[in-house]
PDB file of all heavy atoms in Angstrom:
ATOM      1  N   GLU A  16      13.408  11.080  -5.729  1.00  0.00           N
ATOM      2  CA  GLU A  16      13.087   9.753  -6.369  1.00  0.00           C
ATOM      3  C   GLU A  16      13.377   8.596  -5.420  1.00  0.00           C
ATOM      4  O   GLU A  16      12.620   7.627  -5.349  1.00  0.00           O
ATOM      5  CB  GLU A  16      13.943   9.613  -7.684  1.00  0.00           C
ATOM      6  CG  GLU A  16      13.509  10.542  -8.786  1.00  0.00           C
ATOM      7  CD  GLU A  16      14.390  10.424  -9.969  1.00  0.00           C
ATOM      8  OE1 GLU A  16      15.422   9.703  -9.918  1.00  0.00           O
ATOM      9  OE2 GLU A  16      14.093  11.136 -10.984  1.00  0.00           O
ATOM     10  N   MET A  17      14.460   8.722  -4.686  1.00  0.00           N
ATOM     11  CA  MET A  17      14.753   7.671  -3.736  1.00  0.00           C
ATOM     12  C   MET A  17      13.755   7.611  -2.628  1.00  0.00           C
ATOM     13  O   MET A  17      13.361   6.531  -2.190  1.00  0.00           O
ATOM     14  CB  MET A  17      16.174   7.997  -3.058  1.00  0.00           C
ATOM     15  CG  MET A  17      17.320   7.749  -4.032  1.00  0.00           C
ATOM     16  SD  MET A  17      18.968   8.239  -3.213  1.00  0.00           S
ATOM     17  CE  MET A  17      18.925   7.019  -1.947  1.00  0.00           C
ATOM     18  N   LEU A  18      13.247   8.773  -2.166  1.00  0.00           N
ATOM     19  CA  LEU A  18      12.225   8.773  -1.126  1.00  0.00           C
ATOM     20  C   LEU A  18      10.932   8.036  -1.716  1.00  0.00           C
ATOM     21  O   LEU A  18      10.312   7.277  -0.962  1.00  0.00           O
ATOM     22  CB  LEU A  18      11.894  10.185  -0.769  1.00  0.00           C
ATOM     23  CG  LEU A  18      10.756  10.422   0.217  1.00  0.00           C
ATOM     24  CD1 LEU A  18      11.099   9.750   1.572  1.00  0.00           C
ATOM     25  CD2 LEU A  18      10.497  11.914   0.479  1.00  0.00           C
ATOM     26  N   GLU A  19      10.532   8.406  -2.891  1.00  0.00           N
ATOM     27  CA  GLU A  19       9.390   7.723  -3.478  1.00  0.00           C
ATOM     28  C   GLU A  19       9.588   6.244  -3.573  1.00  0.00           C
ATOM     29  O   GLU A  19       8.680   5.461  -3.258  1.00  0.00           O
ATOM     30  CB  GLU A  19       9.094   8.373  -4.895  1.00  0.00           C
ATOM     31  CG  GLU A  19       8.706   9.833  -4.823  1.00  0.00           C
ATOM     32  CD  GLU A  19       8.702  10.459  -6.164  1.00  0.00           C
ATOM     33  OE1 GLU A  19       8.986   9.789  -7.123  1.00  0.00           O
ATOM     34  OE2 GLU A  19       8.470  11.694  -6.217  1.00  0.00           O
ATOM     35  N   ASP A  20      10.781   5.824  -4.073  1.00  0.00           N
ATOM     36  CA  ASP A  20      11.047   4.355  -4.208  1.00  0.00           C
ATOM     37  C   ASP A  20      11.095   3.693  -2.865  1.00  0.00           C
ATOM     38  O   ASP A  20      10.680   2.518  -2.766  1.00  0.00           O
ATOM     39  CB  ASP A  20      12.397   4.204  -4.897  1.00  0.00           C
ATOM     40  CG  ASP A  20      12.388   4.682  -6.311  1.00  0.00           C
ATOM     41  OD1 ASP A  20      11.248   4.769  -6.874  1.00  0.00           O
ATOM     42  OD2 ASP A  20      13.419   4.932  -6.916  1.00  0.00           O
ATOM     43  N   GLU A  21      11.558   4.377  -1.837  1.00  0.00           N
ATOM     44  CA  GLU A  21      11.522   3.754  -0.466  1.00  0.00           C
ATOM     45  C   GLU A  21      10.173   3.680   0.171  1.00  0.00           C
ATOM     46  O   GLU A  21       9.861   2.718   0.847  1.00  0.00           O
ATOM     47  CB  GLU A  21      12.491   4.534   0.425  1.00  0.00           C
ATOM     48  CG  GLU A  21      13.966   4.418   0.057  1.00  0.00           C
ATOM     49  CD  GLU A  21      14.830   5.376   0.833  1.00  0.00           C
ATOM     50  OE1 GLU A  21      14.235   6.113   1.739  1.00  0.00           O
ATOM     51  OE2 GLU A  21      16.064   5.327   0.692  1.00  0.00           O
ATOM     52  N   MET A  22       9.368   4.673  -0.010  1.00  0.00           N
ATOM     53  CA  MET A  22       8.116   4.772   0.626  1.00  0.00           C
ATOM     54  C   MET A  22       7.017   3.933   0.048  1.00  0.00           C
ATOM     55  O   MET A  22       6.169   3.373   0.732  1.00  0.00           O
ATOM     56  CB  MET A  22       7.591   6.224   0.736  1.00  0.00           C
ATOM     57  CG  MET A  22       8.501   7.159   1.509  1.00  0.00           C
ATOM     58  SD  MET A  22       8.813   6.543   3.197  1.00  0.00           S
ATOM     59  CE  MET A  22       7.118   6.719   3.873  1.00  0.00           C
ATOM     60  N   LEU A  23       7.013   3.800  -1.309  1.00  0.00           N
ATOM     61  CA  LEU A  23       5.981   3.080  -1.957  1.00  0.00           C
ATOM     62  C   LEU A  23       5.925   1.577  -1.577  1.00  0.00           C
ATOM     63  O   LEU A  23       4.872   1.038  -1.303  1.00  0.00           O
ATOM     64  CB  LEU A  23       6.104   3.121  -3.524  1.00  0.00           C
ATOM     65  CG  LEU A  23       5.658   4.495  -4.097  1.00  0.00           C
ATOM     66  CD1 LEU A  23       5.926   4.532  -5.601  1.00  0.00           C
ATOM     67  CD2 LEU A  23       4.152   4.787  -3.825  1.00  0.00           C
ATOM     68  N   PRO A  24       7.054   0.826  -1.489  1.00  0.00           N
ATOM     69  CA  PRO A  24       7.004  -0.537  -1.020  1.00  0.00           C
ATOM     70  C   PRO A  24       6.460  -0.667   0.322  1.00  0.00           C
ATOM     71  O   PRO A  24       5.709  -1.599   0.713  1.00  0.00           O
ATOM     72  CB  PRO A  24       8.473  -1.021  -1.060  1.00  0.00           C
ATOM     73  CG  PRO A  24       9.100  -0.099  -2.061  1.00  0.00           C
ATOM     74  CD  PRO A  24       8.406   1.263  -1.936  1.00  0.00           C
ATOM     75  N   GLU A  25       6.781   0.314   1.288  1.00  0.00           N
ATOM     76  CA  GLU A  25       6.223   0.290   2.623  1.00  0.00           C
ATOM     77  C   GLU A  25       4.737   0.410   2.620  1.00  0.00           C
ATOM     78  O   GLU A  25       4.021  -0.269   3.362  1.00  0.00           O
ATOM     79  CB  GLU A  25       6.830   1.411   3.466  1.00  0.00           C
ATOM     80  CG  GLU A  25       8.289   1.258   3.764  1.00  0.00           C
ATOM     81  CD  GLU A  25       8.854   2.374   4.650  1.00  0.00           C
ATOM     82  OE1 GLU A  25       8.010   3.125   5.176  1.00  0.00           O
ATOM     83  OE2 GLU A  25      10.050   2.450   4.811  1.00  0.00           O
ATOM     84  N   LEU A  26       4.236   1.332   1.742  1.00  0.00           N
ATOM     85  CA  LEU A  26       2.757   1.491   1.692  1.00  0.00           C
ATOM     86  C   LEU A  26       2.075   0.235   1.121  1.00  0.00           C
ATOM     87  O   LEU A  26       0.993  -0.159   1.593  1.00  0.00           O
ATOM     88  CB  LEU A  26       2.454   2.706   0.788  1.00  0.00           C
ATOM     89  CG  LEU A  26       2.777   4.042   1.372  1.00  0.00           C
ATOM     90  CD1 LEU A  26       2.588   5.152   0.332  1.00  0.00           C
ATOM     91  CD2 LEU A  26       1.888   4.347   2.541  1.00  0.00           C
ATOM     92  N   LYS A  27       2.749  -0.437   0.161  1.00  0.00           N
ATOM     93  CA  LYS A  27       2.136  -1.621  -0.385  1.00  0.00           C
ATOM     94  C   LYS A  27       2.070  -2.770   0.637  1.00  0.00           C
ATOM     95  O   LYS A  27       1.107  -3.471   0.735  1.00  0.00           O
ATOM     96  CB  LYS A  27       3.045  -2.105  -1.575  1.00  0.00           C
ATOM     97  CG  LYS A  27       2.896  -1.206  -2.803  1.00  0.00           C
ATOM     98  CD  LYS A  27       3.789  -1.686  -3.918  1.00  0.00           C
ATOM     99  CE  LYS A  27       3.716  -0.779  -5.138  1.00  0.00           C
ATOM    100  NZ  LYS A  27       4.580  -1.156  -6.198  1.00  0.00           N
ATOM    101  N   GLU A  28       3.112  -2.856   1.514  1.00  0.00           N
ATOM    102  CA  GLU A  28       3.124  -3.810   2.582  1.00  0.00           C
ATOM    103  C   GLU A  28       2.009  -3.523   3.642  1.00  0.00           C
ATOM    104  O   GLU A  28       1.372  -4.421   4.106  1.00  0.00           O
ATOM    105  CB  GLU A  28       4.487  -3.774   3.298  1.00  0.00           C
ATOM    106  CG  GLU A  28       5.624  -4.395   2.463  1.00  0.00           C
ATOM    107  CD  GLU A  28       6.991  -4.212   3.210  1.00  0.00           C
ATOM    108  OE1 GLU A  28       6.997  -3.800   4.335  1.00  0.00           O
ATOM    109  OE2 GLU A  28       7.959  -4.571   2.529  1.00  0.00           O
ATOM    110  N   GLU A  29       1.817  -2.200   3.923  1.00  0.00           N
ATOM    111  CA  GLU A  29       0.717  -1.840   4.828  1.00  0.00           C
ATOM    112  C   GLU A  29      -0.635  -2.288   4.272  1.00  0.00           C
ATOM    113  O   GLU A  29      -1.505  -2.716   4.973  1.00  0.00           O
ATOM    114  CB  GLU A  29       0.740  -0.383   5.137  1.00  0.00           C
ATOM    115  CG  GLU A  29       1.923   0.069   5.905  1.00  0.00           C
ATOM    116  CD  GLU A  29       1.891   1.559   6.236  1.00  0.00           C
ATOM    117  OE1 GLU A  29       0.922   2.206   5.863  1.00  0.00           O
ATOM    118  OE2 GLU A  29       2.887   2.092   6.809  1.00  0.00           O
ATOM    119  N   VAL A  30      -0.794  -2.051   2.938  1.00  0.00           N
ATOM    120  CA  VAL A  30      -2.026  -2.412   2.330  1.00  0.00           C
ATOM    121  C   VAL A  30      -2.310  -3.907   2.442  1.00  0.00           C
ATOM    122  O   VAL A  30      -3.391  -4.396   2.725  1.00  0.00           O
ATOM    123  CB  VAL A  30      -2.018  -1.975   0.783  1.00  0.00           C
ATOM    124  CG1 VAL A  30      -3.198  -2.567   0.073  1.00  0.00           C
ATOM    125  CG2 VAL A  30      -2.029  -0.424   0.744  1.00  0.00           C
ATOM    126  N   VAL A  31      -1.248  -4.700   2.237  1.00  0.00           N
ATOM    127  CA  VAL A  31      -1.372  -6.219   2.339  1.00  0.00           C
ATOM    128  C   VAL A  31      -1.815  -6.546   3.707  1.00  0.00           C
ATOM    129  O   VAL A  31      -2.651  -7.406   3.928  1.00  0.00           O
ATOM    130  CB  VAL A  31      -0.058  -6.863   1.924  1.00  0.00           C
ATOM    131  CG1 VAL A  31      -0.134  -8.385   2.208  1.00  0.00           C
ATOM    132  CG2 VAL A  31       0.239  -6.606   0.430  1.00  0.00           C
ATOM    133  N   GLU A  32      -1.206  -5.920   4.724  1.00  0.00           N
ATOM    134  CA  GLU A  32      -1.568  -6.210   6.126  1.00  0.00           C
ATOM    135  C   GLU A  32      -2.977  -5.919   6.395  1.00  0.00           C
ATOM    136  O   GLU A  32      -3.670  -6.668   7.116  1.00  0.00           O
ATOM    137  CB  GLU A  32      -0.630  -5.477   7.117  1.00  0.00           C
ATOM    138  CG  GLU A  32       0.881  -5.925   7.046  1.00  0.00           C
ATOM    139  CD  GLU A  32       0.967  -7.400   7.474  1.00  0.00           C
ATOM    140  OE1 GLU A  32       0.212  -7.837   8.376  1.00  0.00           O
ATOM    141  OE2 GLU A  32       1.835  -8.134   6.872  1.00  0.00           O
ATOM    142  N   VAL A  33      -3.436  -4.752   5.900  1.00  0.00           N
ATOM    143  CA  VAL A  33      -4.860  -4.352   6.129  1.00  0.00           C
ATOM    144  C   VAL A  33      -5.764  -5.396   5.457  1.00  0.00           C
ATOM    145  O   VAL A  33      -6.808  -5.736   5.971  1.00  0.00           O
ATOM    146  CB  VAL A  33      -5.036  -2.946   5.585  1.00  0.00           C
ATOM    147  CG1 VAL A  33      -6.603  -2.605   5.657  1.00  0.00           C
ATOM    148  CG2 VAL A  33      -4.309  -1.912   6.355  1.00  0.00           C
ATOM    149  N   GLU A  34      -5.477  -5.805   4.210  1.00  0.00           N
ATOM    150  CA  GLU A  34      -6.278  -6.778   3.534  1.00  0.00           C
ATOM    151  C   GLU A  34      -6.395  -8.129   4.279  1.00  0.00           C
ATOM    152  O   GLU A  34      -7.411  -8.780   4.253  1.00  0.00           O
ATOM    153  CB  GLU A  34      -5.782  -6.972   2.130  1.00  0.00           C
ATOM    154  CG  GLU A  34      -6.006  -5.755   1.237  1.00  0.00           C
ATOM    155  CD  GLU A  34      -5.380  -5.960  -0.153  1.00  0.00           C
ATOM    156  OE1 GLU A  34      -4.531  -6.878  -0.302  1.00  0.00           O
ATOM    157  OE2 GLU A  34      -5.877  -5.266  -1.025  1.00  0.00           O
ATOM    158  N   LYS A  35      -5.172  -8.499   4.878  1.00  0.00           N
ATOM    159  CA  LYS A  35      -5.230  -9.781   5.655  1.00  0.00           C
ATOM    160  C   LYS A  35      -6.155  -9.688   6.838  1.00  0.00           C
ATOM    161  O   LYS A  35      -6.786 -10.578   7.266  1.00  0.00           O
ATOM    162  CB  LYS A  35      -3.794 -10.107   6.068  1.00  0.00           C
ATOM    163  CG  LYS A  35      -2.912 -10.587   4.903  1.00  0.00           C
ATOM    164  CD  LYS A  35      -1.530 -10.911   5.381  1.00  0.00           C
ATOM    165  CE  LYS A  35      -0.676 -11.393   4.263  1.00  0.00           C
ATOM    166  NZ  LYS A  35       0.730 -11.617   4.681  1.00  0.00           N
ATOM    167  N   THR A  36      -6.061  -8.472   7.495  1.00  0.00           N
ATOM    168  CA  THR A  36      -6.840  -8.263   8.748  1.00  0.00           C
ATOM    169  C   THR A  36      -8.387  -8.157   8.522  1.00  0.00           C
ATOM    170  O   THR A  36      -9.199  -8.703   9.227  1.00  0.00           O
ATOM    171  CB  THR A  36      -6.368  -6.974   9.477  1.00  0.00           C
ATOM    172  OG1 THR A  36      -4.956  -7.094   9.649  1.00  0.00           O
ATOM    173  CG2 THR A  36      -7.043  -6.855  10.812  1.00  0.00           C
ATOM    174  N   PHE A  37      -8.697  -7.425   7.439  1.00  0.00           N
ATOM    175  CA  PHE A  37     -10.103  -7.179   7.081  1.00  0.00           C
ATOM    176  C   PHE A  37     -10.400  -7.532   5.621  1.00  0.00           C
ATOM    177  O   PHE A  37     -10.676  -6.709   4.788  1.00  0.00           O
ATOM    178  CB  PHE A  37     -10.549  -5.739   7.307  1.00  0.00           C
ATOM    179  CG  PHE A  37     -10.245  -5.242   8.759  1.00  0.00           C
ATOM    180  CD1 PHE A  37      -9.096  -4.500   8.958  1.00  0.00           C
ATOM    181  CD2 PHE A  37     -11.022  -5.621   9.770  1.00  0.00           C
ATOM    182  CE1 PHE A  37      -8.823  -4.002  10.234  1.00  0.00           C
ATOM    183  CE2 PHE A  37     -10.700  -5.189  11.059  1.00  0.00           C
ATOM    184  CZ  PHE A  37      -9.606  -4.349  11.306  1.00  0.00           C
ATOM    185  N   PRO A  38     -10.346  -8.803   5.288  1.00  0.00           N
ATOM    186  CA  PRO A  38     -10.465  -9.248   3.855  1.00  0.00           C
ATOM    187  C   PRO A  38     -11.821  -8.895   3.267  1.00  0.00           C
ATOM    188  O   PRO A  38     -12.011  -8.735   2.114  1.00  0.00           O
ATOM    189  CB  PRO A  38     -10.154 -10.736   3.917  1.00  0.00           C
ATOM    190  CG  PRO A  38     -10.498 -11.123   5.296  1.00  0.00           C
ATOM    191  CD  PRO A  38     -10.113  -9.972   6.208  1.00  0.00           C
ATOM    192  N   GLU A  39     -12.884  -8.870   4.086  1.00  0.00           N
ATOM    193  CA  GLU A  39     -14.275  -8.690   3.584  1.00  0.00           C
ATOM    194  C   GLU A  39     -14.620  -7.236   3.542  1.00  0.00           C
ATOM    195  O   GLU A  39     -15.585  -6.851   2.975  1.00  0.00           O
ATOM    196  CB  GLU A  39     -15.230  -9.424   4.463  1.00  0.00           C
ATOM    197  CG  GLU A  39     -15.015 -10.953   4.388  1.00  0.00           C
ATOM    198  CD  GLU A  39     -16.066 -11.659   5.241  1.00  0.00           C
ATOM    199  OE1 GLU A  39     -16.878 -10.975   5.911  1.00  0.00           O
ATOM    200  OE2 GLU A  39     -16.069 -12.875   5.257  1.00  0.00           O
ATOM    201  N   VAL A  40     -13.830  -6.344   4.188  1.00  0.00           N
ATOM    202  CA  VAL A  40     -14.183  -4.944   4.371  1.00  0.00           C
ATOM    203  C   VAL A  40     -13.381  -4.120   3.398  1.00  0.00           C
ATOM    204  O   VAL A  40     -13.876  -3.134   2.810  1.00  0.00           O
ATOM    205  CB  VAL A  40     -13.984  -4.484   5.799  1.00  0.00           C
ATOM    206  CG1 VAL A  40     -14.346  -3.045   5.931  1.00  0.00           C
ATOM    207  CG2 VAL A  40     -14.817  -5.351   6.682  1.00  0.00           C
ATOM    208  N   ILE A  41     -12.076  -4.462   3.239  1.00  0.00           N
ATOM    209  CA  ILE A  41     -11.205  -3.527   2.503  1.00  0.00           C
ATOM    210  C   ILE A  41     -11.222  -3.930   0.997  1.00  0.00           C
ATOM    211  O   ILE A  41     -10.968  -5.031   0.589  1.00  0.00           O
ATOM    212  CB  ILE A  41      -9.719  -3.627   2.995  1.00  0.00           C
ATOM    213  CG1 ILE A  41      -9.661  -3.452   4.478  1.00  0.00           C
ATOM    214  CG2 ILE A  41      -8.842  -2.626   2.306  1.00  0.00           C
ATOM    215  CD1 ILE A  41     -10.197  -2.041   4.886  1.00  0.00           C
ATOM    216  N   GLU A  42     -11.618  -2.967   0.211  1.00  0.00           N
ATOM    217  CA  GLU A  42     -11.521  -3.137  -1.268  1.00  0.00           C
ATOM    218  C   GLU A  42     -10.136  -2.978  -1.790  1.00  0.00           C
ATOM    219  O   GLU A  42      -9.256  -2.392  -1.141  1.00  0.00           O
ATOM    220  CB  GLU A  42     -12.489  -2.153  -1.896  1.00  0.00           C
ATOM    221  CG  GLU A  42     -13.970  -2.421  -1.552  1.00  0.00           C
ATOM    222  CD  GLU A  42     -14.892  -1.470  -2.227  1.00  0.00           C
ATOM    223  OE1 GLU A  42     -14.371  -0.622  -2.945  1.00  0.00           O
ATOM    224  OE2 GLU A  42     -16.074  -1.582  -2.054  1.00  0.00           O
ATOM    225  N   PRO A  43      -9.867  -3.392  -3.024  1.00  0.00           N
ATOM    226  CA  PRO A  43      -8.496  -3.187  -3.595  1.00  0.00           C
ATOM    227  C   PRO A  43      -8.004  -1.732  -3.517  1.00  0.00           C
ATOM    228  O   PRO A  43      -8.771  -0.882  -3.768  1.00  0.00           O
ATOM    229  CB  PRO A  43      -8.634  -3.700  -5.024  1.00  0.00           C
ATOM    230  CG  PRO A  43      -9.766  -4.575  -5.006  1.00  0.00           C
ATOM    231  CD  PRO A  43     -10.697  -4.025  -3.969  1.00  0.00           C
ATOM    232  N   ILE A  44      -6.714  -1.574  -3.207  1.00  0.00           N
ATOM    233  CA  ILE A  44      -6.131  -0.243  -3.105  1.00  0.00           C
ATOM    234  C   ILE A  44      -5.516   0.088  -4.436  1.00  0.00           C
ATOM    235  O   ILE A  44      -4.770  -0.621  -5.009  1.00  0.00           O
ATOM    236  CB  ILE A  44      -5.064  -0.220  -1.964  1.00  0.00           C
ATOM    237  CG1 ILE A  44      -5.816  -0.412  -0.628  1.00  0.00           C
ATOM    238  CG2 ILE A  44      -4.227   1.011  -2.021  1.00  0.00           C
ATOM    239  CD1 ILE A  44      -4.800  -0.428   0.473  1.00  0.00           C
ATOM    240  N   ASP A  45      -5.820   1.333  -4.868  1.00  0.00           N
ATOM    241  CA  ASP A  45      -5.197   1.909  -6.093  1.00  0.00           C
ATOM    242  C   ASP A  45      -4.071   2.740  -5.761  1.00  0.00           C
ATOM    243  O   ASP A  45      -4.243   3.901  -5.228  1.00  0.00           O
ATOM    244  CB  ASP A  45      -6.268   2.636  -6.850  1.00  0.00           C
ATOM    245  CG  ASP A  45      -5.750   3.254  -8.148  1.00  0.00           C
ATOM    246  OD1 ASP A  45      -4.704   2.776  -8.622  1.00  0.00           O
ATOM    247  OD2 ASP A  45      -6.333   4.171  -8.648  1.00  0.00           O
ATOM    248  N   ILE A  46      -2.788   2.280  -5.985  1.00  0.00           N
ATOM    249  CA  ILE A  46      -1.611   3.112  -5.726  1.00  0.00           C
ATOM    250  C   ILE A  46      -1.291   3.904  -6.935  1.00  0.00           C
ATOM    251  O   ILE A  46      -0.923   3.373  -7.989  1.00  0.00           O
ATOM    252  CB  ILE A  46      -0.444   2.228  -5.314  1.00  0.00           C
ATOM    253  CG1 ILE A  46      -0.715   1.452  -4.065  1.00  0.00           C
ATOM    254  CG2 ILE A  46       0.848   3.048  -5.181  1.00  0.00           C
ATOM    255  CD1 ILE A  46       0.400   0.511  -3.621  1.00  0.00           C
ATOM    256  N   VAL A  47      -1.447   5.235  -6.851  1.00  0.00           N
ATOM    257  CA  VAL A  47      -1.250   6.117  -7.980  1.00  0.00           C
ATOM    258  C   VAL A  47       0.112   6.728  -7.901  1.00  0.00           C
ATOM    259  O   VAL A  47       0.435   7.542  -7.034  1.00  0.00           O
ATOM    260  CB  VAL A  47      -2.344   7.243  -7.962  1.00  0.00           C
ATOM    261  CG1 VAL A  47      -2.161   8.155  -9.244  1.00  0.00           C
ATOM    262  CG2 VAL A  47      -3.706   6.675  -7.891  1.00  0.00           C
ATOM    263  N   ASP A  48       1.087   6.283  -8.808  1.00  0.00           N
ATOM    264  CA  ASP A  48       2.443   6.760  -8.771  1.00  0.00           C
ATOM    265  C   ASP A  48       2.498   8.268  -8.938  1.00  0.00           C
ATOM    266  O   ASP A  48       3.368   8.902  -8.293  1.00  0.00           O
ATOM    267  CB  ASP A  48       3.250   6.049  -9.799  1.00  0.00           C
ATOM    268  CG  ASP A  48       3.448   4.595  -9.477  1.00  0.00           C
ATOM    269  OD1 ASP A  48       3.286   4.221  -8.285  1.00  0.00           O
ATOM    270  OD2 ASP A  48       3.686   3.784 -10.377  1.00  0.00           O
ATOM    271  N   SER A  49       1.755   8.875  -9.878  1.00  0.00           N
ATOM    272  CA  SER A  49       1.893  10.213 -10.197  1.00  0.00           C
ATOM    273  C   SER A  49       1.538  11.081  -9.035  1.00  0.00           C
ATOM    274  O   SER A  49       2.126  12.158  -8.774  1.00  0.00           O
ATOM    275  CB  SER A  49       1.073  10.613 -11.400  1.00  0.00           C
ATOM    276  OG  SER A  49      -0.327  10.378 -11.114  1.00  0.00           O
ATOM    277  N   ALA A  50       0.536  10.729  -8.197  1.00  0.00           N
ATOM    278  CA  ALA A  50       0.148  11.501  -7.054  1.00  0.00           C
ATOM    279  C   ALA A  50       0.879  11.025  -5.798  1.00  0.00           C
ATOM    280  O   ALA A  50       0.809  11.712  -4.777  1.00  0.00           O
ATOM    281  CB  ALA A  50      -1.326  11.431  -6.892  1.00  0.00           C
TER     282      ALA A  50
END
């Protein structure tokens, strides 16, 4: 559970950086907790 809690925020930050870099190309990211 700690690993999941630690990794998910990092992934969300990466998604934000990608959206800033390519705002017209990258569509919204669906973060699925269960998977």
Side-chain angles (χ1 to χ4, degrees):
E16 291 175 357
M17 289 177 63
L18 176 62
E19 293 169 3
D20 292 340
E21 290 174 0
M22 297 304 295
L23 284 177
E25 291 182 11
L26 288 172
K27 292 178 181 179
E28 289 176 4
E29 290 182 6
V30 170
V31 172
E32 291 300 322
V33 173
E34 290 178 339
K35 288 179 179 178
T36 306
F37 306 103
E39 297 180 356
V40 180
I41 308 301
E42 295 182 358
I44 291 177
D45 179 18
I46 298 179
V47 184
D48 290 338
S49 61

